[in-house]
Amino acid sequence: MASPSRRQSSLSSRVRRTVAAATLGALGLTAAVAATAVPASAAPAPAAGDLGSRFTLAVLPDTQFYSRYSADQFTPRYGTDPFAVQTDWLTKNADALQIPFVTHLGDVVDQVHRDVEWQAADRAIQTLDDAKLPYSILAGNHDVRNSNDNLYDDQYNLANEPFLKWFGAGRAAGVSTFEGSDPTGFNQFHIFEADGQQYLVLALSWRASDATLAWANQVLKDHPTLPAILTTHQVINIAADGETPLETDYGLRLWDKLIRSNDQIFLTLNGHFHGASRLTKTNDFGHAVTEVVIDYQMAYEGGDGYLGLYEFDLTNDRINVQTASPWVKFKPQDALTRYDQLFQEGPQQQFSIPIDFSERFKGFAPDFAAGPADTPSLAQKARSILEDGFTGPDPISTEFPGATADFPEVDGTLAHWRFNGVKGTVGTETVIEDVAGDNDLHRADPAATNSVGTTLEDVTVASGDVHGYSSDGSAACFANSSGSRYSYLTTAADAPVNDADLSKGFTIETFVKMDASWDAAANGWSKFLVHTGNRSRIDGFAQTPWDYTASPTALGISNLREFQWTGVPQDPTKGDRTAWSGEIMPGAWSHVAIVGEEDGTLTMYVDGAPVLRNTSDALGLAANPHMPWIIGADWVDDAARNGWNGCVGETRIIDHATGPDEWLTARADLTGLTLTGAPTGQLPAGSTVAALSGTGLPGATVTVRPAGAAAAAVAATDVDAARAAVAVAETTALAADASATAVVGDDGKWTARFAQPLTAGSYDLAVAQSLGTRSADPARVTFSIAAAPGEVPPGETPPGQTPPGQTPPGGEVPGGQVPGGDAPGGDESGTDDPATADPAASAQDELASTGSDLVLPAILALLALVAGGAGVILARRRRSA
């Protein structure tokens, strides 16, 4: 069972997302940060000591980079590669974890024509062969000679396909569970047994033809009583928030032609799309089918060895899923970084799928039953095996932004372009503001370029579809782009950033997305961020066989959909320096950071993880004098060309190397709130407190509330308790009038004034700093003011009167009133007029009505938004007026 602290953390996360969705929607900000993940089962997982009928299905997602870099990077550094460590760990722990079968989801290698990659994959899979641990393996798009989406497996030149040479039916025949292959040899099926029951695994390679799907349907028809798991390389995709599932055209083809009409298929597993998600659909029989995507190739070290462990718990009717890395456990302690974590702990990496196995399968397997309940939790066992003796670093973590201003400002920022002030078509007069300096962007007039067919409507600023960790909320999108048709945004010729000194290092980061229509022939080698010029005219530049007349600095995409950085360092005699990512998916947002260190090391990070192909001896950046920076196109031979087909979000250039804590994916620091001159102890009778003041983050909202409201809400673990606790605290707050808000000024100072000065009484106040929906833990201010003789402090009942909420002696309520002083059918003031209603109380009611668990940051933030009204600052500016 999850610990209370973990459960409370999960509740906090859900509340942050719920409040963010409501608040951001009201403010017209991006919905990406509030996207809802597929919910995990609410039922508790069994404790480690509980016995049940259990086994573990192991899942190997895309291993392409392990194979590609085995010989030249992994083996020289570690003596082996992650793929080999994965299979070795599975064989050594197959008995302990009761693993009857291992599935591979495709992209076995990265470059289909390179034997050295197939050799690395062969060594890893041979470990399973030697241990006689059954497995299935299939071809992904990187494992076939031509991965064109419109080309199917029965159209390949089978004699020329390396996958069939290395992992065809001949090798599969040696696996004990192998039952057959289709005529192409690319597709196979297996039957494994676990706890006395048999399961069928269909392994379909890249782009199954109609003939292959007919074969798969026949396999199911020939084995009508077996529950079936479909493994293939592509079914579902992942949305920009990194969690929400997206259906694909090919996945729907599989659904319509295979999955929906075969009740036996209850689970599908696919890779291909970076990250993890899941989707539950209902088939033609009214039964659930769970579709799962898992692929970590863009994580640290090409995936950092993460694999899936699916514990089938037949006794408790659930599949418990973990994402774990034997590779992290294998690496030497001194080689570990903050990216190295044994487990991925997100809601799409650790979850349970509720499934009543006997009920789900009774339509085709009425005799299906769980085996003996004699096995402790295998999920807990896996954790124990990996955690034994392991001491790892703290993980990198972040939160979704609470407002458009929720990003860290960094000294040394040269330019920071944001799009949230612009809507619709970007004309030549439109200004894209540099919020850090004097480097505003404008659109180049298409009529003044060599672009063919460009219209003003080709460039628009859209909101709502951005990277989940970008606080900007908007992006510029470039449509109808190709080699000859392009548009771009440019700095002015005299913009300071054009000639900035980057000799001590730099950080260049942006958010970018290829359009779903991206095509290698039309859009390959396009660029989205370029410092224009001609590198051949830089004195001393070492001539290269390619890109000799290209710009000194460019960031774009290759024809293989790899991010490419090319830059001429401060010493141009070294030639250009490059860094490369792995394959990037169209339609998906990525955060890209290029960090040049003062020692000359240059690293590309994609969504926070360093790529494998980086460079060194690359200090600084050379440039042609006074040449602009542009967004949206390449610049070669002294002219723009090759437009970006997709969108670009906020972009920032800094004059030194920075780390993840300072990137645009991080959040503003709300922990620096201070109070100056706050009262303490007991103040003498007659004293008043009119305000609290202090310092904080410019633009943040400071909220002062009675601490009872905060503590009660945090302690509450269900909605009703939280609603009641906050209601009681709100009544106290109104009686004491001890609430106030303020906005931190540009000088970092704030003063929160109470509606009426506080007089005699005891006060325990919580003072919190927030940006929109995100708040820091509150500071506490505790003091009292002595009462003068005969004075009744606010909130106390005068002698002889009945306290609010109590019935007088004898049970009578005078004057038709209700206990507590409420008029029948009205609010506390005895009126239904909404104009006189308390806005903070209304906000609390709205929050309680969402049905989410309440936590302090969400309460304080939403109350601050309502009480502060227009005073909430949604954009922080560092540039001078």
Side-chain angles (χ1 to χ4, degrees), residues 183-230:
T184 70
F186 271 107
N187 309 283
Q188 53 188 248
F189 78 99
H190 295 251
I191 297 175
F192 71 85
E193 184 173 312
D195 269 18
Q197 298 290 337
Q198 290 186 327
Y199 300 83
L200 187 149
V201 173
L202 271 173
L204 301 186
S205 287
W206 183 252
R207 289 303 183 261
S209 62
D210 285 345
T212 293
L213 295 179
W215 167 84
N217 276 291
Q218 188 62 45
V219 166
L220 293 169
K221 184 177 181 180
D222 291 343
H223 303 85
T225 64
L226 298 186
I229 300 167
L230 172 65

Side-chain angles (χ1 to χ4, degrees), residues 94-380:
D95 290 340
L97 300 181
Q98 297 195 23
I99 301 174
F101 198 76
V102 179
T103 66
H104 194 298
L105 301 182
D107 276 0
V108 182
V109 302
D110 190 53
Q111 297 171 305
V112 66
H113 60 279
R114 298 185 71 230
D115 273 358
V116 66
E117 297 185 32
W118 290 106
Q119 291 164 2
D122 172 64
R123 288 192 298 271
I125 294 298
Q126 188 61 47
T127 301
L128 300 179
D129 287 328
D130 293 343
K132 300 190 183 306
L133 179 56
Y135 65 91
S136 64
I137 192 167
L138 56 93
N141 57 301
H142 282 259
D143 303 320
V144 297
R145 292 281 188 183
N146 188 341
S147 61
N148 187 304
D149 285 354
N150 298 319
L151 193 68
Y152 292 104
D153 56 16
D154 60 356
Q155 297 172 282
Y156 299 153
N157 180 355
L158 301 179
N160 196 35
E161 291 292 342
F163 179 86
L164 299 180
K165 169 187 172 184
W166 293 93
F167 297 108
R171 182 170 188 168
V175 178
S176 62
T177 55
F178 177 72
E179 294 290 333
S181 178
D182 79 313
T184 70
F186 271 107
N187 309 283
Q188 53 188 248
F189 78 99
H190 295 251
I191 297 175
F192 71 85
E193 184 173 312
D195 269 18
Q197 298 290 337
Q198 290 186 327
Y199 300 83
L200 187 149
V201 173
L202 271 173
L204 301 186
S205 287
W206 183 252
R207 289 303 183 261
S209 62
D210 285 345
T212 293
L213 295 179
W215 167 84
N217 276 291
Q218 188 62 45
V219 166
L220 293 169
K221 184 177 181 180
D222 291 343
H223 303 85
T225 64
L226 298 186
I229 300 167
L230 172 65
T231 64
T232 190
H233 193 55
Q234 178 186 346
V235 179
I236 60 170
N237 192 359
I238 308 166
D241 62 6
E243 293 185 1
T244 304
L246 290 177
E247 297 202 81
T248 67
D249 289 342
Y250 181 71
L252 291 172
R253 168 184 162 85
L254 293 178
W255 177 261
D256 289 334
K257 295 196 172 189
L258 177 65
I259 302 169
R260 66 183 303 165
S261 59
N262 285 290
D263 196 26
Q264 295 164 252
I265 301 177
F266 67 96
L267 176 66
T268 75
L269 302 168
N270 73 273
H272 190 53
F273 296 106
H274 310 152
S277 188
R278 66 193 188 278
L279 174 69
T280 299
K281 300 186 68 174
T282 302
N283 66 15
D284 291 345
F285 302 84
H287 294 147
V289 179
T290 301
E291 299 178 335
V292 180
V293 54
I294 172 175
D295 172 16
Y296 292 100
Q297 63 178 277
M298 293 308 298
Y300 179 54
E301 291 198 326
D304 219 19
Y306 288 110
L307 52 77
L309 298 173
Y310 286 60
E311 179 196 42
F312 282 63
D313 186 340
L314 305 181
T315 298
N316 293 285
D317 287 325
R318 55 199 308 111
I319 302 173
N320 298 311
V321 180
Q322 296 193 94
T323 304
S325 175
W327 174 247
V328 170
K329 176 69 175 289
F330 167 85
K331 286 190 284 189
Q333 181 74 31
D334 60 5
L336 298 179
T337 71
R338 291 176 66 191
Y339 299 98
D340 291 305
Q341 303 298 319
L342 286 177
F343 299 93
Q344 291 285 320
E345 302 284 5
Q348 302 295 2
Q349 290 83 19
Q350 305 282 344
F351 58 90
S352 289
I353 302 171
I355 175 171
D356 185 332
F357 292 98
S358 57
E359 179 66 24
R360 173 63 179 83
F361 301 157
K362 73 177 183 180
F364 58 86
D367 296 330
F368 185 94
D374 56 5
T375 302
S377 170
L378 297 174
Q380 293 291 338

Side-chain angles (χ1 to χ4, degrees), residues 76 144 148 154 164 245 254 259 316 341 439 465 495 533 565 580 592 604 618 634 640 690 704 717 720 777 799 862 878:
V144 297
N148 187 304
D154 60 356
L164 299 180
L254 293 178
I259 302 169
N316 293 285
Q341 303 298 319
N439 306 284
D465 178 18
W565 162 267
W580 303 79
V592 184
M604 176 192 292
D634 199 359
V704 181
T717 57
D720 291 336
D777 292 335
L862 192 56
R878 298 177 66 248

